[in-house]
Amino acid sequence: MHAVSSLDSSALDEAASGATAEAPVRDLRRVPIHPDNWYPLAWSREVKRGKTHGVHFAGEPIVLARTESGKVFALEDRCAHRQVPLHQGVVDGESIRCGYHGWTYDCSGKCIDVPYLGRERLPNGVRSYPCQEVEGLIFVFPGDPALAETKPLPPLASVSDKAYKTRRFGRAVKCHYSFMHENLMDMNHQFLHRRQMGQMRARSLGRRRGEGWVEVDYTFARMEGKQPVGEALVFGQNRNGGGQNDKDVMTIRTEYPYQTLQIRTSDQTLVMNLWIIYVPLDAEQRTNRTFGLLSIRKPGIPGALDLAWPLLVWFTERIFKEDREIVEAEQAAHDSQGEDWNHEVFPVINELRNLLRESGAAHLTPRGEAHTPKDATWQPLRRISRT
Amino acid sequence: MHAVSSLDSSALDEAASGATAEAPVRDLRRVPIHPDNWYPLAWSREVKRGKTHGVHFAGEPIVLARTESGKVFALEDRCAHRQVPLHQGVVDGESIRCGYHGWTYDCSGKCIDVPYLGRERLPNGVRSYPCQEVEGLIFVFPGDPALAETKPLPPLASVSDKAYKTRRFGRAVKCHYSFMHENLMDMNHQFLHRRQMGQMRARSLGRRRGEGWVEVDYTFARMEGKQPVGEALVFGQNRNGGGQNDKDVMTIRTEYPYQTLQIRTSDQTLVMNLWIIYVPLDAEQRTNRTFGLLSIRKPGIPGALDLAWPLLVWFTERIFKEDREIVEAEQAAHDSQGEDWNHEVFPVINELRNLLRESGAAHLTPRGEAHTPKDATWQPLRRISRT
Amino acid sequence: MHAVSSLDSSALDEAASGATAEAPVRDLRRVPIHPDNWYPLAWSREVKRGKTHGVHFAGEPIVLARTESGKVFALEDRCAHRQVPLHQGVVDGESIRCGYHGWTYDCSGKCIDVPYLGRERLPNGVRSYPCQEVEGLIFVFPGDPALAETKPLPPLASVSDKAYKTRRFGRAVKCHYSFMHENLMDMNHQFLHRRQMGQMRARSLGRRRGEGWVEVDYTFARMEGKQPVGEALVFGQNRNGGGQNDKDVMTIRTEYPYQTLQIRTSDQTLVMNLWIIYVPLDAEQRTNRTFGLLSIRKPGIPGALDLAWPLLVWFTERIFKEDREIVEAEQAAHDSQGEDWNHEVFPVINELRNLLRESGAAHLTPRGEAHTPKDATWQPLRRISRT
């Protein structure tokens, strides 16, 4: 892990001079997310036993089905026959049956029954996606399936550690995923949350960059007022009175395509651990669905965190709502202007922008050019019908 | 009437092999309906005496007006002056007056008064359409008016036969008219109505094709469960116990641009007779308004059908709702894919698709290039103003 | 003031012959309003002390801010940093602070603070607009600021004359501003208001045209029925019984880009004085916000007009609603037809149409090509970031 470490103080001034001579670059807001990763497309509870659930990844309709035995599989969400969504159909044992004429597909997407045709002459099927269910999330690999096994799942906050309590949250946000990464990583946006958190000042200690990731450390100082209770729960309590927790260090990291935010006290205890991902829903990638896991370390008194939990939920929802409104305003401005007029002065964010630009897909996947398992004896049907 | 008859059993297998070598063909979902036919644009009850009623045919705005004497006429729905819809105006005796500056048109579209101009210098008028009112429907001929008299109206189910009771139904459906024809003609879609009708299996007996039409016969067998009451009313009761009505024959016919569905018992009694048409509303022909006449033969006991009527209405509405939702899903899939990925395995439907493709208009009618009566001494005004 | 006066009687007949041989001209509905004028963008009461207010002029987002001292200024409504609207920010003393990262701008648009950057290295700012507040309206000069001082504000009805009571009214109307001018100037549209005003006939006495303006005089005669009370209040009472007020003269004038309507009695008393303007909101100029000032001369009896005021409000709202619906229908027809099929037979309106065509801007202002004060030492930031 070769990392570049640097103190930001001079870099900030450098950027402020406006001397960032950028060559013409791709508009970051038009860079598609790279499909060769595992993306959560639903919470486990959304896909009930014996039911289908239709989702989207970057405009691709995908049906998730949980069979009678409880297994989840993922197929492209259209019948090979007349293209109606399979999620309007029914789960039948371990397979899925289109609701229109009853064409039936197994978990690999192969067509195994057309009620009015002989079994020896069945048409081809539909595309399937690698799929796994972990910690209440259903992950799908929308890219080249041959790569799925080579890409491990990321650590999911501290969700499996009993010392932590984890909140699952998220919703659709009407903006390109890149705005979300920039929002979280630039802690100078504390001004946005002034009503929730009072006047805080972030100070960046330094940034590091490696292959596929960038991260930055911050400390915080309260400018005036006292710490709100909600904030104390989330970011760690101000243990020894005013201004004493500026020894806590917050580290925000984008490890493509995921993002984490961790707070450690001066004795290196991890008190907060957030894992978050922004999954594009539409083909233009102008809307993302955010999935977040926020792990909070339990304090010494048993049950105290459970008691405070509703307040924490309320506080984080308020913060998330403010973030959502401002990134949607950024997207609306981009849509109206037709190009990226962003003028960034904070080197950390320019580094992040470069990472997102370089890590994204080359172009939007042409429709119907989806990958097919090489060892499959059948082919997605529409290939044939369209040539 | 030269018809081609064939048994379908081998054809089904043949189609399933995927060997239908089609040359590149027009996307059926972009084939405009042919305007040189009579289309119902409203129910009679929608056009009240002394009132106007604005409708659309394939994007063309048309005003229907019922005069003081009760006659209905049809004009293009825009004033020659400032293009505001004439349906916002008022019926004045046997003419229609624009609501803005009071320009007045007779039933032929001729301008007969501009309140602030001398009568000797009146401007030209607007286009009129051949129009006739039959059996509670107002039919308009949107194509070349010279052809209107050469094209007879179709038989309208058994609406004028006292031995039948007829239900009028319909509504706007958000899809191209071709999906509607295919939906009705392919009785293998019984799976869609499994909740309403139980498990039925259709068996096609044979298809026939002639000049401008295609038709197919079916019998039905119940796979399990018993016949629902609603179905008995619509499709004929299962007279001698389970499985005995598989001698009834259902014939579905598209005689361009209309469609019919008839059920005959083994003694050739016509027990059900449906006439239906799907009129495109918008210029892209992505929405149609369905007008249906469903005639049911009255049973021996007088009044029995009247008593059962509400159940029949409920049953047919449920069926129609399921059909509507699935064809709208087909249209949405086509819109999203941008082309027709349909992979049809049933020869009847491929025959129907060819018929619809060949019978449609060559291209969308350019706006303003509407036909004008050749014997008219006046010309639609906008021709002049735009050259 | 060189004016051309002519009687209209022969001109009307001439126009009716359809012999207006026009060369191919720009579609009036695509002619942008000229930005080098003062336009009201808000009522004073909409911009509260210490608050921001976001508005649009022809697609340009503009933020109005009223400072602590009560002064109003106008900036482009986007932060130079990440383009979020400044109206989502906060007024801070005499400046405005972006709600996201707290970048701060003074009334000239200069960036005066970025909380996390040194003051000596501040980035550039945003565009400001000349702005003045007069008689409850906030006027902005969206064009070349160097011309702002050379263009005087127009007289605003009789708003400052104690002999008159003035009603402020207006709302968004979904049409190009030109339809509004034509609607008001063509008094032959009395037919539209037949339910409010009975059968009135307008007679045009003559028209005049000069540099940047056109005007027309009318008298009115009641065809049948009696004068409604609301009309008597607005247009002057029918003082000596039926038909006697046809000596009153109504003069309608478009003095680009404003419009006025004045009624004078035979003794030259100005009994009604309307000033009105239609400000395009969107870039396509398909919606305008109307601002109107309607001054009514107080009658001899003190307080009589106050008493009758609610009736006058109700009456004018009814009239305005009818006008709004019909001009929106005109715009919808234009949108659907894609071009201007207007066939005008009234010379006054053709003259007006020429004036609007000639006075409009050459083309839609390319985005971001806004004018910058020449004496400013700073430049709008995005210029730099995009080159």
Side-chain angles (χ1 to χ4, degrees):
Chain A
M1 194 152 104
H2 58 103
V4 185
S5 185
S6 68
L7 280 173
D8 268 5
S9 52
S10 64
L12 258 174
D13 287 350
E14 173 196 311
S17 70
T20 51
E22 291 183 60
V25 287
R26 294 173 75 189
D27 182 342
L28 175 57
R29 316 313 177 186
R30 300 188 201 279
V31 174
I33 213 164
H34 205 292
D36 288 342
N37 291 290
W38 288 98
Y39 292 96
L41 298 190
W43 299 105
S44 291
R45 60 177 162 69
E46 295 177 292
V47 190
K48 300 190 190 333
R49 189 179 294 251
K51 299 291 180 191
T52 62
H53 183 65
V55 294
H56 282 89
F57 173 81
E60 273 182 67
I62 295 174
V63 58
L64 305 175
R66 191 183 295 277
T67 67
E68 298 299 335
S69 70
K71 187 190 153 198
V72 175
F73 63 84
L75 304 181
E76 67 174 305
D77 192 11
R78 44 174 92 98
C79 181
H81 179 209
R82 297 183 66 90
Q83 314 301 324
V84 297
L86 288 175
H87 79 257
Q88 294 187 19
V90 291
V91 171
D92 187 358
E94 301 300 303
S95 59
I96 187 170
R97 187 174 281 265
C98 176
Y100 199 174
H101 299 81
W103 291 32
T104 307
Y105 304 90
D106 69 13
C107 67
S108 76
K110 189 177 167 186
C111 182
I112 57 171
D113 186 36
V114 172
Y116 49 99
L117 279 184
R119 299 236 164 188
E120 69 289 357
R121 299 259 172 109
L122 287 175
N124 285 314
V126 296
R127 184 186 174 193
S128 70
Y129 297 88
C131 180
Q132 57 182 312
E133 188 169 12
V134 180
E135 297 288 5
L137 282 168
I138 296 170
F139 285 86
V140 166
F141 196 90
D144 180 356
L147 301 177
E149 297 211 8
T150 71
K151 294 263 188 162
L153 274 189
L156 300 172
S158 302
V159 70
S160 57
D161 186 336
K162 298 279 189 197
Y164 295 80
K165 185 174 169 80
T166 298
R167 170 161 149 71
R168 292 168 160 78
F169 68 97
R171 54 167 294 170
V173 182
K174 293 196 211 94
C175 73
H176 191 255
Y177 61 90
S178 60
F179 289 111
M180 306 294 287
H181 279 270
E182 295 178 52
N183 169 266
L184 188 65
M185 193 163 277
D186 188 350
M187 276 294 142
N188 295 309
H189 85 271
Q190 290 300 314
F191 186 71
L192 178 68
H193 303 306
R194 61 199 176 276
R195 282 176 297 259
Q196 313 308 325
M197 301 176 64
Q199 288 202 25
M200 295 289 286
R201 176 135 307 173
R203 196 169 143 253
S204 74
L205 302 180
R207 57 188 158 111
R208 292 170 292 279
R209 179 162 179 185
E211 186 72 24
W213 60 269
V214 55
E215 68 181 16
V216 57
D217 294 333
Y218 291 98
T219 54
F220 288 86
R222 178 162 303 283
M223 294 296 100
E224 61 181 55
K226 55 181 273 205
Q227 187 185 34
V229 181
E231 182 197 308
L233 288 163
V234 185
F235 294 104
Q237 200 185 342
N238 198 326
R239 276 162 303 278
N240 303 319
Q244 297 295 312
N245 72 337
D246 59 358
K247 299 286 162 49
D248 291 356
V249 174
M250 177 188 284
T251 304
I252 303 168
R253 176 184 177 100
T254 290
E255 182 155 0
Y256 194 86
Y258 315 109
Q259 200 167 32
T260 57
L261 183 157
Q262 298 182 321
I263 299 177
R264 283 185 178 77
T265 57
S266 51
D267 63 1
Q268 294 300 307
T269 308
L270 180 65
V271 291
M272 190 188 125
N273 191 7
L274 168 72
W275 175 85
I276 196 163
I277 173 75
Y278 320 105
V279 183
L281 297 180
D282 56 319
E284 298 301 313
Q285 309 205 7
R286 289 284 169 268
T287 298
N288 73 83
R289 186 174 179 194
T290 295
F291 292 86
L293 298 172
L294 175 64
S295 297
I296 305 287
R297 187 170 182 88
K298 294 173 186 169
I301 310 152
L305 189 57
D306 293 337
L307 209 65
W309 202 250
L311 181 60
L312 179 136
V313 169
W314 177 85
F315 179 75
T316 52
E317 282 301 305
R318 291 285 292 263
I319 297 287
F320 187 48
K321 179 171 185 286
E322 288 175 341
D323 285 326
R324 180 165 48 82
E325 286 171 355
I326 206 76
V327 291
E328 290 184 347
E330 286 190 280
Q331 180 66 62
H334 184 277
D335 289 346
S336 155
Q337 289 152 9
E339 55 184 339
D340 194 1
W341 292 4
N342 191 292
H343 183 92
E344 193 48 63
V345 297
F346 187 30
V348 170
I349 299 304
N350 280 323
E351 196 110 71
L352 171 63
R353 289 164 59 86
N354 287 338
L355 171 70
L356 293 173
R357 218 182 262 114
E358 292 158 14
S359 305
H363 49 77
L364 293 172
T365 311
R367 299 188 169 252
E369 296 301 312
H371 306 274
T372 320
K374 297 211 175 62
D375 59 344
T377 52
W378 51 269
Q379 294 288 323
L381 187 65
R382 65 175 187 275
R383 301 283 187 103
I384 296 160
S385 67
R386 287 183 298 153
T387 49
Chain B
M1 194 152 105
H2 59 105
V4 186
S5 186
S6 68
L7 281 173
D8 269 5
S9 53
S10 65
L12 257 175
D13 287 350
E14 173 197 312
S17 70
T20 50
E22 292 181 59
V25 288
R26 293 174 75 190
D27 182 342
L28 175 56
R29 316 311 178 190
R30 300 187 202 279
V31 174
I33 213 164
H34 205 292
D36 289 341
N37 292 289
W38 289 98
Y39 292 95
L41 298 191
W43 300 104
S44 291
R45 60 177 163 69
E46 295 177 292
V47 190
K48 300 191 191 331
R49 189 177 294 251
K51 299 291 180 191
T52 63
H53 183 64
V55 293
H56 282 89
F57 173 81
E60 273 182 66
I62 294 174
V63 59
L64 305 175
R66 192 182 296 276
T67 68
E68 297 299 336
S69 71
K71 187 189 154 198
V72 175
F73 64 85
L75 304 181
E76 66 175 306
D77 192 11
R78 45 173 91 99
C79 181
H81 178 208
R82 298 183 66 90
Q83 315 301 324
V84 296
L86 289 175
H87 81 257
Q88 294 187 18
V90 291
V91 170
D92 187 357
E94 301 301 303
S95 60
I96 188 170
R97 187 174 281 265
C98 176
Y100 199 173
H101 300 82
W103 291 31
T104 309
Y105 304 90
D106 70 13
C107 68
S108 75
K110 189 179 168 186
C111 182
I112 57 171
D113 186 36
V114 172
Y116 50 98
L117 280 184
R119 299 234 165 190
E120 70 289 358
R121 301 256 172 111
L122 286 176
N124 285 314
V126 296
R127 184 184 174 195
S128 70
Y129 298 87
C131 179
Q132 57 181 312
E133 189 170 13
V134 180
E135 297 289 5
L137 282 168
I138 296 169
F139 284 86
V140 166
F141 197 91
D144 180 356
L147 302 177
E149 296 211 8
T150 70
K151 294 265 187 162
L153 274 189
L156 299 172
S158 302
V159 70
S160 56
D161 186 335
K162 298 280 189 197
Y164 295 80
K165 185 174 169 79
T166 298
R167 169 160 150 71
R168 291 167 162 78
F169 68 98
R171 54 169 293 171
V173 183
K174 292 194 212 95
C175 73
H176 191 254
Y177 62 90
S178 60
F179 289 111
M180 306 294 288
H181 280 270
E182 295 177 52
N183 169 267
L184 188 65
M185 192 162 278
D186 188 351
M187 276 293 141
N188 296 309
H189 86 271
Q190 289 301 313
F191 186 72
L192 178 68
H193 304 304
R194 62 199 177 275
R195 282 176 297 260
Q196 313 308 325
M197 302 176 64
Q199 288 202 25
M200 296 288 287
R201 174 135 309 171
R203 197 170 141 252
S204 74
L205 303 180
R207 56 188 158 110
R208 293 170 292 279
R209 177 161 179 187
E211 186 72 23
W213 60 269
V214 55
E215 68 181 15
V216 58
D217 293 334
Y218 292 98
T219 54
F220 289 86
R222 179 162 301 283
M223 294 295 100
E224 61 182 56
K226 53 181 276 205
Q227 188 185 34
V229 182
E231 181 197 307
L233 287 164
V234 184
F235 295 104
Q237 200 186 343
N238 198 325
R239 279 163 301 280
N240 303 317
Q244 296 296 312
N245 71 338
D246 59 359
K247 298 286 162 48
D248 291 357
V249 174
M250 176 189 283
T251 304
I252 302 167
R253 177 184 177 100
T254 290
E255 184 155 359
Y256 195 85
Y258 316 108
Q259 199 167 32
T260 57
L261 183 156
Q262 299 182 320
I263 300 176
R264 283 184 177 78
T265 58
S266 51
D267 63 1
Q268 293 301 308
T269 308
L270 179 64
V271 291
M272 188 187 127
N273 192 6
L274 169 71
W275 175 86
I276 196 163
I277 174 72
Y278 321 104
V279 183
L281 298 180
D282 56 318
E284 299 299 314
Q285 309 204 7
R286 289 284 167 268
T287 299
N288 72 83
R289 187 175 179 193
T290 295
F291 291 86
L293 299 172
L294 175 64
S295 297
I296 306 287
R297 187 169 181 88
K298 294 173 185 169
I301 310 153
L305 189 56
D306 294 336
L307 211 62
W309 203 249
L311 182 58
L312 178 136
V313 169
W314 177 85
F315 179 76
T316 51
E317 283 300 305
R318 291 285 292 262
I319 298 285
F320 188 48
K321 180 172 185 287
E322 288 174 342
D323 285 327
R324 180 164 48 82
E325 287 171 355
I326 206 77
V327 291
E328 291 184 347
E330 286 191 281
Q331 180 66 62
H334 184 277
D335 290 345
S336 154
Q337 289 153 9
E339 55 184 339
D340 195 359
W341 291 4
N342 191 292
H343 183 93
E344 193 47 65
V345 297
F346 187 29
V348 171
I349 298 305
N350 281 323
E351 196 109 71
L352 170 64
R353 288 164 61 86
N354 288 337
L355 172 71
L356 294 173
R357 217 181 262 113
E358 293 159 14
S359 305
H363 49 77
L364 293 171
T365 311
R367 298 188 170 252
E369 296 301 312
H371 306 276
T372 321
K374 297 212 176 58
D375 59 344
T377 52
W378 50 269
Q379 294 288 324
L381 186 65
R382 65 173 187 277
R383 300 285 186 101
I384 296 160
S385 67
R386 286 183 300 153
T387 49
Chain C
M1 191 151 109
H2 59 105
V4 185
S5 185
S6 68
L7 280 174
D8 269 3
S9 54
S10 65
L12 257 174
D13 287 350
E14 172 197 314
S17 69
T20 51
E22 291 181 60
V25 286
R26 293 174 77 189
D27 182 343
L28 175 58
R29 315 312 177 188
R30 299 187 202 278
V31 174
I33 213 164
H34 206 292
D36 288 340
N37 291 290
W38 288 98
Y39 292 95
L41 298 191
W43 299 104
S44 291
R45 60 178 162 69
E46 295 177 292
V47 189
K48 299 190 193 333
R49 188 178 295 250
K51 299 290 180 191
T52 63
H53 184 65
V55 294
H56 282 90
F57 173 81
E60 274 182 65
I62 295 174
V63 58
L64 305 175
R66 191 182 296 276
T67 66
E68 298 299 334
S69 71
K71 188 190 156 198
V72 175
F73 63 86
L75 304 181
E76 68 174 304
D77 192 12
R78 43 174 92 100
C79 181
H81 178 209
R82 298 183 67 90
Q83 315 299 324
V84 297
L86 289 175
H87 79 257
Q88 294 187 20
V90 291
V91 170
D92 186 358
E94 300 300 303
S95 59
I96 188 170
R97 187 174 280 264
C98 176
Y100 200 174
H101 299 81
W103 291 31
T104 308
Y105 304 89
D106 69 13
C107 68
S108 75
K110 190 177 167 187
C111 182
I112 57 170
D113 185 37
V114 171
Y116 50 98
L117 280 183
R119 299 234 164 189
E120 70 289 357
R121 300 259 173 109
L122 286 177
N124 285 314
V126 296
R127 184 185 174 194
S128 70
Y129 297 87
C131 180
Q132 57 182 311
E133 188 169 13
V134 181
E135 296 290 2
L137 282 168
I138 296 170
F139 284 87
V140 166
F141 197 91
D144 180 355
L147 301 177
E149 296 211 9
T150 70
K151 294 265 187 162
L153 274 189
L156 300 172
S158 302
V159 70
S160 57
D161 185 336
K162 299 278 188 197
Y164 296 80
K165 184 175 168 79
T166 298
R167 169 159 150 71
R168 292 168 161 78
F169 68 98
R171 54 168 294 170
V173 183
K174 293 194 211 94
C175 73
H176 191 254
Y177 62 90
S178 59
F179 289 111
M180 307 294 289
H181 279 270
E182 294 177 54
N183 169 268
L184 187 65
M185 193 163 277
D186 188 350
M187 277 293 141
N188 295 310
H189 85 272
Q190 290 300 313
F191 186 72
L192 177 68
H193 304 305
R194 62 200 177 276
R195 281 176 298 260
Q196 313 308 326
M197 301 176 63
Q199 288 202 25
M200 295 289 286
R201 175 135 308 173
R203 197 169 140 252
S204 75
L205 302 181
R207 56 187 158 113
R208 292 170 293 279
R209 178 164 177 183
E211 185 72 21
W213 60 269
V214 54
E215 69 181 16
V216 57
D217 293 333
Y218 292 99
T219 54
F220 289 86
R222 178 162 302 284
M223 294 296 100
E224 61 182 54
K226 54 181 274 207
Q227 189 187 34
V229 182
E231 182 198 307
L233 287 164
V234 184
F235 293 104
Q237 200 185 342
N238 198 326
R239 278 162 301 279
N240 302 318
Q244 297 295 312
N245 71 336
D246 58 359
K247 299 284 161 51
D248 290 357
V249 173
M250 177 189 284
T251 302
I252 302 167
R253 176 184 178 101
T254 291
E255 182 155 0
Y256 195 85
Y258 315 108
Q259 199 167 32
T260 57
L261 184 156
Q262 298 183 321
I263 299 176
R264 283 185 177 76
T265 59
S266 52
D267 63 0
Q268 294 301 306
T269 308
L270 179 65
V271 291
M272 189 187 125
N273 191 8
L274 169 72
W275 175 86
I276 195 163
I277 173 73
Y278 321 105
V279 183
L281 297 181
D282 56 318
E284 299 300 314
Q285 310 204 6
R286 289 286 168 266
T287 298
N288 73 83
R289 187 175 179 193
T290 295
F291 291 86
L293 299 173
L294 175 64
S295 297
I296 306 287
R297 186 170 182 86
K298 295 173 186 169
I301 309 152
L305 189 57
D306 293 337
L307 211 64
W309 203 248
L311 182 59
L312 178 135
V313 168
W314 177 84
F315 179 75
T316 51
E317 282 299 305
R318 291 285 292 264
I319 297 286
F320 187 49
K321 179 172 186 285
E322 289 175 341
D323 285 326
R324 181 164 48 83
E325 286 170 355
I326 206 76
V327 291
E328 290 184 348
E330 286 191 280
Q331 180 66 61
H334 185 278
D335 289 345
S336 154
Q337 289 152 10
E339 55 184 338
D340 195 0
W341 291 5
N342 191 291
H343 184 91
E344 193 47 65
V345 297
F346 187 29
V348 171
I349 298 304
N350 281 323
E351 196 110 71
L352 170 64
R353 288 164 61 84
N354 288 337
L355 171 70
L356 293 173
R357 218 181 261 113
E358 293 158 13
S359 306
H363 49 77
L364 293 171
T365 310
R367 297 186 171 253
E369 297 301 312
H371 305 274
T372 319
K374 297 209 176 61
D375 58 344
T377 52
W378 51 269
Q379 294 289 323
L381 187 64
R382 64 174 187 276
R383 302 284 187 104
I384 296 161
S385 68
R386 285 184 300 153
T387 50

